[in-house]
């Protein structure tokens, strides 16, 4: 489906100064399953929603390990994400072989952005239809970057990409001031809550999400489903405990209203007063 005569080639500018093929690639990122990233001073957590094409198929992998200190979560075309993660892995190996030290996260992100930008300037290529959240830890601390198909990259404290990610962004914007000093467990909890927000009504289970962590003294790794389910269950218990104190307060208000009703009816007949006392709690 062609939008107009200016979208048949990635190198053709529209009169408004737009490259429609690049915008289409960015739209492919919005159509992919949601991916979420959060960082503190010491840790970075990645989360993604596992989406299967049908009930008979398994979901595609959305989080990839690049090196012990770097990992990526993708949204968009998974095939493009696999190619780019393989490129990033190769760059880390070559740098480590040459300099005998881990590749800085910022330098890898710049190389990845340059590779994506070339595809917006060659008529025989197409832009990569995938967005990447790059999580890493180096000498300067923890980092979370977003690489766009246009070749732009941005560093974030927390970010969400993919379909239905706006609800997760809203939650992250409310809480992001606390992320810098958050512990590993708090980051994972916030990542699970943000993932739940992007599900929009669907129950959060370990089978529909994937969590990965990298931090000080902790190489990048993906949490297994049992661990994720335990964290989800713990989070649900906390929610129940938070809502439990509201019940005694409601009961106290109900008793107070009952006492007021009984006091008002003391001047009337005993049977009538007893009937009013029995009906007042149900009215409340």
């Amino acid at each position: 489906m062609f939008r107009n005569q200016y979208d048949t080639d990635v190198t053709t500018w529209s009169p408004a100064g737009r490259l429609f093929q690049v915008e289409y690639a960015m739209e492919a990122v919005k159509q992919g399953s949601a991916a979420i990233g959060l960082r503190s001073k010491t840790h970075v957590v990645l989360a993604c929603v596992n989406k299967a094409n049908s009930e008979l198929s398994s979901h595609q992998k959305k989080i990839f390990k690049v090196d012990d200190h770097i990992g990526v979560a993708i949204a968009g075309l998974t095939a493009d994400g696999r190619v780019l993660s393989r490129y990033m892995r190769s760059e880390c190996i070559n740098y480590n072989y040459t300099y005998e030290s881990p590749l800085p996260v910022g330098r890898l992100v710049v190389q990845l952005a340059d590779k994506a930008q070339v595809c917006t300037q060659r008529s025989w290529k197409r832009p990569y239809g995938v967005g990447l959240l790059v999580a890493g830890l180096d000498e300067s601390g923890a980092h979370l970057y977003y690489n766009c198909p246009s070749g732009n990259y941005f560093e974030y404290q927390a970010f969400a990409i993919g379909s239905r990610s706006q609800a997760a962004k809203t939650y992250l914007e409310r809480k992001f001031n606390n992320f810098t000093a958050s512990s590993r467990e708090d980051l994972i909890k916030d990542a699970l809550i943000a993932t739940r927000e992007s599900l929009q009504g669907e129950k959060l289970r370990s089978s529909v999400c994937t969590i990965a962590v990298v931090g000080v003294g902790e190489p990048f790794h993906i949490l297994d489903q049992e661990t994720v389910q335990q964290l989800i269950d713990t989070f649900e218990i906390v929610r129940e405990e938070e809502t439990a104190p509201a019940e005694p307060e409601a009961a106290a208000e109900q008793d107070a209203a009952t006492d007021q009703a009984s006091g008002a009816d003391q001047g009337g007949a005993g049977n009538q007063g007893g009937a009013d006392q029995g009906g007042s709690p149900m009215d409340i």
Side-chain angles (χ1 to χ4, degrees), residues 55-101:
E55 296 181 356
L56 300 177
S57 68
S58 62
H59 65 272
Q60 290 182 308
K61 189 176 180 181
K62 295 288 186 179
I63 296 181
F64 301 94
K65 179 180 178 180
V66 176
D67 202 350
D68 286 340
H69 67 297
I70 297 177
V72 296
I74 66 171
L77 297 181
T78 309
D80 288 0
R82 287 200 310 268
V83 171
L84 291 177
S85 64
R86 193 182 306 121
Y87 165 78
M88 297 170 68
R89 198 173 294 124
S90 176
E91 291 297 315
C92 287
I93 293 173
N94 293 335
Y95 186 93
N96 195 15
Y97 179 80
T98 303
Y99 299 102
E100 296 183 356
S101 63

Side-chain angles (χ1 to χ4, degrees), residues 253-268:
E253 293 177 358
Q254 184 175 350
D255 293 341
T258 304
D259 294 339
Q260 291 178 1
S262 61
D265 293 335
Q266 282 181 357

Side-chain angles (χ1 to χ4, degrees), residues 38-142:
L38 306 85
R39 74 176 174 94
S40 65
K41 290 182 178 180
T42 57
H43 289 81
V44 187
V45 175
L46 295 177
C48 70
V49 176
N50 301 330
K51 184 186 296 183
N53 293 330
S54 70
E55 296 181 356
L56 300 177
S57 68
S58 62
H59 65 272
Q60 290 182 308
K61 189 176 180 181
K62 295 288 186 179
I63 296 181
F64 301 94
K65 179 180 178 180
V66 176
D67 202 350
D68 286 340
H69 67 297
I70 297 177
V72 296
I74 66 171
L77 297 181
T78 309
D80 288 0
R82 287 200 310 268
V83 171
L84 291 177
S85 64
R86 193 182 306 121
Y87 165 78
M88 297 170 68
R89 198 173 294 124
S90 176
E91 291 297 315
C92 287
I93 293 173
N94 293 335
Y95 186 93
N96 195 15
Y97 179 80
T98 303
Y99 299 102
E100 296 183 356
S101 63
L103 176 60
V105 183
R107 181 174 300 183
L108 178 62
V109 169
V110 172
Q111 293 176 353
L112 183 63
D114 291 342
K115 184 177 179 66
Q117 192 276 335
V118 170
C119 295
T120 69
Q121 210 171 0
R122 301 289 186 270
S123 61
W124 60 90
K125 293 185 178 182
R126 67 161 177 83
Y128 291 104
V130 64
L132 296 95
L133 289 177
V134 183
L137 185 75
D138 55 22
E139 295 179 352
S140 60

Side-chain angles (χ1 to χ4, degrees), residues 69-248:
H69 67 297
I70 297 177
V72 296
I74 66 171
L77 297 181
T78 309
D80 288 0
R82 287 200 310 268
V83 171
L84 291 177
S85 64
R86 193 182 306 121
Y87 165 78
M88 297 170 68
R89 198 173 294 124
S90 176
E91 291 297 315
C92 287
I93 293 173
N94 293 335
Y95 186 93
N96 195 15
Y97 179 80
T98 303
Y99 299 102
E100 296 183 356
S101 63
L103 176 60
V105 183
R107 181 174 300 183
L108 178 62
V109 169
V110 172
Q111 293 176 353
L112 183 63
D114 291 342
K115 184 177 179 66
Q117 192 276 335
V118 170
C119 295
T120 69
Q121 210 171 0
R122 301 289 186 270
S123 61
W124 60 90
K125 293 185 178 182
R126 67 161 177 83
Y128 291 104
V130 64
L132 296 95
L133 289 177
V134 183
L137 185 75
D138 55 22
E139 295 179 352
S140 60
H143 301 280
L144 176 67
Y145 290 92
Y146 169 57
N147 276 79
C148 184
S150 63
N152 291 322
Y153 65 93
F154 309 92
E155 185 169 13
Y156 286 93
Q157 186 72 40
F159 197 55
I161 58 176
S163 63
R164 297 187 294 186
S165 61
Q166 186 57 49
K169 287 181 186 177
T170 302
Y171 173 79
L172 295 175
E173 289 170 357
R174 290 202 312 265
K175 299 287 186 178
F176 85 97
N177 287 327
N178 303 325
F179 292 156
T180 303
S182 293
S183 63
R184 174 184 181 273
E185 289 72 20
D186 290 337
L187 278 183
I188 296 176
K189 178 182 175 181
D190 287 323
L192 288 171
I193 297 176
T195 304
R196 186 195 64 188
E197 295 294 325
S198 67
L199 294 176
Q200 293 186 351
E202 184 180 351
K203 185 177 180 181
L204 179 63
R205 303 185 306 274
S206 61
S207 59
V208 300
C209 67
T210 303
I211 304 292
V213 184
V214 62
V216 176
E218 184 177 9
F220 184 88
H221 66 286
I222 300 175
L223 303 182
D224 56 74
Q225 283 195 357
E226 294 181 359
T227 303
V228 174
Q229 188 60 50
Q230 291 176 359
L231 293 169
I232 293 174
D233 294 339
T234 303
F235 165 64
E236 295 294 336
I237 292 174
V238 170
R239 287 188 61 197
E240 292 177 0
E241 291 176 351
E242 289 175 351
T243 56
E247 296 179 359

